[in-house]
Amino acid sequence: MFCPECGSTDKKMVGDICIDCFLKDFQMIELPKRIEVQICSHCNSKLEEGKWSDEFLPEEEIIYRALERNIKVADEVSNEIINLEIDQMKGTLAECYVEVTGEVEGTQIEETHDTEVKILKTVCPSCSKIQSGYYESVVQFRADNREIKPEEYAKADEIVERTLQKQSKSDKLAYCPQRAKLKEGYDYYIGSFKSGNKVAEALKEEFGGVMKESPRLISEDKSTGKGLYRVWISIRMPEFEIGDFIKFENKILYVHSIGKNSLIGEEISTNKKHNIPMKNMDDIELVKKADEIETTTVISKSPQIMQILDPIDYSAVDLDMKEEYGKYNVGDEVRLIRLDNYIYLI
């Protein structure tokens, strides 16, 4: 066949022209002369295809990936090998060299290109939020009808810090920009709702009580028209503590343990243990604190009666003998509480 461009009649034809004329203007790759990459100056995350990537990469690797992402190989090329080189860095501008070898219509060819990658330092949305003290949730640490103890505050601070440190591996907004000390308790402002919820669950795991969420409309996203909410998460510890005495369903119970979702109480009249869900906390009445326990002495015993000394007026008090009283001897010290003019041994 005859090549209309060079007149050759003995060369391989590609379409209407010979292979030499085809390769004369052919480019194996397309590559912009300038590539721009946006990188967060605080966390080094990068903007790719409209989305911020949290993957931390060295600046050099970011440049190489930007080159790879912007190289377009022509369909006619096979067995291509692409080498990328950074010639030099001038501040935030990388001058780069790209070498390509490959086969086109059975012919091995080589091609070189020069380009530059400009790194644009900016601030990603997450870091912008962190800098502004942004928060999506407030965890309220409270106690029901009592003051929170200093050691409880210290433990809560430790739990919040530990939980956020763990969450920060997957959530950039796992931080606490503010802790407000109020008369009724602490308010922990947490960057994201997800991490705020984890903090609240961790506090409930440690202290028990009731957790309640209260979302509040703050503003509206003008671009989507959707409401923007913040969530207040209340952790309300029970009024009673381990060692206290409570009343539930007309039973007087000694509090053995307090867990995330329930408490274990021992009925003082029968020594039977009961598991009470924390959701019933409002139905539980505190009747005696642990520091209200009194001590006295056994002064006599018989098969039917055990006699103790009333620690208030030192009079003798007769108690009907129970199986568990068999372990006491005359002169032993015993612990008791008074409820409704009745004495119970602990």
Side-chain angles (χ1 to χ4, degrees), residues 287-300:
V287 292
K288 284 284 184 180
K289 294 293 292 179
D291 57 12
E292 295 180 88
I293 295 174
E294 301 174 73
T295 57
T296 189
T297 305
V298 177
I299 55 177
S300 70

Side-chain angles (χ1 to χ4, degrees), residues 178-205:
Q178 181 183 354
R179 184 192 66 177
K181 297 181 180 181
L182 308 175
K183 182 179 179 181
E184 58 271 27
Y186 281 0
D187 282 357
Y188 297 96
Y189 292 72
I190 308 298
S192 71
F193 168 70
K194 176 184 175 182
S195 290
N197 195 59
K198 289 290 186 181
V199 166
E201 288 179 352
L203 290 172
K204 188 173 185 291
E205 180 83 40

Side-chain angles (χ1 to χ4, degrees), residues 251-252 266-274 322 324:
K251 300 181 183 71
I252 304 299
E266 181 179 332
E267 191 173 354
I268 60 176
S269 60
T270 64
N271 299 115
K272 181 181 179 181
K273 290 185 177 180
H274 298 267
K322 296 182 179 180
E324 58 266 26

Side-chain angles (χ1 to χ4, degrees), residues 117-183:
V117 178
K118 175 68 175 177
I119 295 178
L120 303 175
K121 296 288 187 176
T122 183
V123 180
C124 72
S126 294
C127 288
S128 178
K129 289 177 178 179
I130 292 171
Q131 287 183 312
S132 66
Y134 171 88
Y135 63 94
E136 293 177 359
S137 60
V138 180
V139 179
Q140 299 178 306
F141 184 56
R142 303 287 188 267
D144 200 20
N145 297 322
R146 69 175 177 87
E147 290 187 359
I148 299 175
K149 298 176 180 178
E151 57 267 28
E152 290 175 322
Y153 279 130
K155 186 65 176 179
D157 284 347
E158 178 188 324
I159 290 170
V160 171
E161 182 179 355
R162 184 174 66 242
T163 304
L164 290 178
Q165 187 174 12
K166 182 179 179 180
Q167 283 294 112
S168 66
K169 297 176 183 177
S170 59
D171 181 5
K172 287 179 70 173
L173 294 180
Y175 73 110
C176 182
Q178 181 183 354
R179 184 192 66 177
K181 297 181 180 181
L182 308 175
K183 182 179 179 181

Side-chain angles (χ1 to χ4, degrees), residues 59 63 86-95 116-119:
E59 201 168 84
I63 293 170
I86 299 174
D87 279 347
Q88 61 179 323
M89 289 289 301
K90 295 179 179 179
T92 57
L93 185 67
E95 294 181 355
E116 58 186 26
V117 178
K118 175 68 175 177
I119 295 178

